[in-house]
Amino acid sequence: MTFSITRLGHHGDGIASGPDGPVFAARTLPGEVIEGEVTGDRIIAPKIVTPSTDRVAAPCPHYRRCGGCSLQHASDAFVEGWKAGLVRDTLARVGIDARITGVKTSPPNSRRRAALSGRRTKKGAQVGFHVAGGTDIVEGPDCRLLHPDLIAALPALDQITRLAATRGSEVTLHVTQTATGIDLSVEQAKPFDRDVMLALAPLAMAFARITWNGETALQQTPPVVTLGAARVMLPPGAFLQATAEGEAALVNAVNESLAGAQSVVDLFAGCGTFTFPIAKMAPVHAIEGDRALIEALAHGARHATGLKAVTAQVRDLFRNPLLSEELSRYDAAVIDPPRAGAEAQVAQLAASDLTTIAFVSCNPGTFARDAAILVGAGWRMGPVTVVDQFRWSPHVELVTRFDRG
């Protein structure tokens, strides 16, 4: 059957009209004519009959199989425009007319953290990303996504997979590039015993720390990242922005939004991505629900110089949001919630007497819901900066400012 792709869905698949409703075709673009057979609501193995002018040759030789990327077939200009449009259209559905000021896209080979899959095989091991829509693993020593430091660690990750996985089983390898080396967390691994420890020791030099099923197994040096003027020791499994360039774009936008603030509360502060840059300008009270993260933040604050006062608090902002009267202690806030958004906390922000809110989001859908709460309470939303840390994926992040009306 022949189909015409009219638009992309939120997951980056092309959408066409099928015999029984919309059908989806992976790695196609608006305006393309394709051929393929329909199974359910999917067009299987679509053949491009008429390509879009925005179609380009994928820079990675593994792209046809690898599921690590989904938009390498589209030009950079198209992807930027699509992601900006995704944010604009999502906000328009809740009645907000968003002005997009630009898209900040991280360069190739800049991803400094990733979750790789490792499988032990009869001949050794495989380490990489899963194939698109499947369970096979694509090895990518010339990956165009990962930072070169992570690519250089692939041979050691291969050896570790042989130790961690039983025959035919799979482990997850969380790798994070830090200033002191790569932090590795191995999950779904077999038990860590003396034999594993002895075999792992020669490989440990390739990593700052190795965590095994949630427990620190070997550590050469604490994994440290620089956040503003602070050096923070990451707890195992700690969140870090996906690229240094993406982090810088978010931090710059937040700092511009909060310029002139006299006191700031940082909600969902993590390890201090925004806390420490803001603390160069104003005192900051950081709140985070994960005790290990807030302890790492507090430790970094105690050893940093040139900052205004930084205080830290453990608090579950989903179950126990900071109330509007508590927010009155500050004149500005930054909020960077998880993908689920923070509806209850945003309701308290909306009712507070803050003057400025810098809002960071990794989910346009939940951001639109939360933004509508603020706008409905009389807050004005400023221009939106779209940040594309997850290059060649449908993932979108954004940052904007709200001012009291």
Side-chain angles (χ1 to χ4, degrees):
M1 298 179 66
T2 300
F3 303 89
S4 295
I5 302 299
T6 57
R7 59 189 176 89
L8 296 192
H10 284 198
H11 297 292
D13 290 342
I15 301 177
S17 295
D20 299 312
V23 289
F24 300 84
R27 300 182 178 184
T28 58
L29 296 172
E32 292 188 327
V33 177
I34 65 172
E35 292 179 347
E37 297 298 324
V38 176
T39 299
D41 63 353
R42 306 292 303 181
I43 302 173
I44 307 302
K47 177 183 177 183
I48 308 300
V49 177
T50 304
S52 165
T53 55
D54 291 307
R55 179 170 287 276
V56 298
C60 179
H62 305 291
Y63 181 60
R64 290 180 65 86
R65 295 189 68 238
C66 182
C69 299
S70 58
L71 288 165
Q72 284 195 11
H73 61 286
S75 69
D76 289 349
F78 173 86
V79 175
E80 289 187 1
W82 175 67
K83 291 194 173 187
L86 193 64
V87 173
R88 186 183 301 109
D89 293 346
T90 302
L91 286 165
R93 285 195 286 273
V94 296
I96 298 175
D97 183 13
R99 180 162 65 92
I100 310 296
T101 58
V103 180
K104 307 291 186 181
T105 304
S106 295
N109 293 115
S110 62
R111 181 80 69 81
R112 62 182 178 181
R113 67 171 175 88
L116 303 176
S117 297
R119 179 179 295 133
R120 185 177 171 187
T121 65
K122 184 176 181 180
K123 295 182 179 180
Q126 294 175 316
V127 175
F129 293 108
H130 283 127
V131 299
T135 59
D136 291 344
I137 293 174
V138 179
E139 298 177 282
D142 45 5
C143 175
R144 295 301 309 279
L145 191 66
L146 300 178
H147 190 280
D149 289 355
L150 300 186
I151 293 175
L154 289 175
L157 294 173
D158 181 288
Q159 295 296 317
I160 288 173
T161 297
R162 300 180 193 214
L163 295 173
T166 57
R167 179 70 61 83
S169 70
E170 188 173 302
V171 295
T172 302
L173 306 161
H174 294 275
V175 285
T176 302
Q177 178 206 31
T178 76
T180 52
I182 295 173
D183 187 23
L184 168 64
S185 177
V186 187
E187 296 181 355
Q188 293 89 46
K190 63 186 183 183
F192 188 78
D193 56 22
R194 184 175 182 276
D195 290 340
V196 172
M197 182 183 68
L198 292 175
L200 189 64
L203 303 171
M205 295 299 294
F207 305 94
R209 176 179 62 199
I210 299 177
T211 303
W212 198 277
N213 291 337
E215 300 292 335
T216 299
L218 295 169
Q219 180 171 293
Q220 301 294 327
T221 183
V224 172
V225 295
T226 300
L227 301 175
R231 286 172 59 83
V232 177
M233 293 185 290
L234 292 181
F239 173 82
L240 185 68
Q241 296 292 341
T243 70
E245 293 83 358
E247 179 184 288
L250 293 172
V251 167
N252 289 341
V254 167
N255 283 354
E256 289 176 4
S257 296
L258 300 182
Q262 299 301 307
S263 58
V264 179
V265 60
D266 185 355
L267 305 171
F268 302 97
C271 285
T273 299
F274 302 111
T275 302
F276 294 113
I278 295 168
K280 292 182 180 179
M281 307 182 296
V284 184
H285 183 56
I287 304 178
E288 165 62 45
D290 187 314
R291 182 172 295 278
L293 297 183
I294 211 71
E295 288 177 351
L297 186 155
H299 182 273
R302 287 194 297 270
H303 294 83
T305 59
L307 299 179
K308 305 292 186 180
V310 174
T311 53
Q313 177 186 358
V314 179
R315 182 164 173 168
D316 185 341
L317 294 173
F318 289 109
R319 296 183 179 182
N320 186 22
L322 204 65
L323 301 178
S324 59
E325 53 266 31
E326 296 176 281
L327 289 163
S328 65
R329 304 168 189 168
Y330 316 97
D331 65 343
V334 56
I335 180 170
D336 181 16
R339 289 188 59 80
E343 188 172 6
Q345 183 60 78
V346 170
Q348 296 298 321
L349 289 170
S352 74
D353 56 3
L354 292 167
T355 58
T356 305
I357 302 167
F359 205 127
V360 182
S361 175
C362 60
N363 185 337
T366 56
F367 171 74
R369 178 201 66 201
D370 294 346
I373 295 172
L374 290 166
V375 172
W379 291 77
R380 299 189 310 272
M381 192 179 85
V384 177
T385 298
V386 175
V387 178
D388 185 4
Q389 296 193 77
F390 293 85
R391 190 184 180 101
W392 299 312
S393 87
H395 188 81
V396 184
E397 294 177 281
L398 62 93
V399 58
T400 190
R401 167 178 172 156
F402 288 89
D403 293 296
R404 179 165 294 285

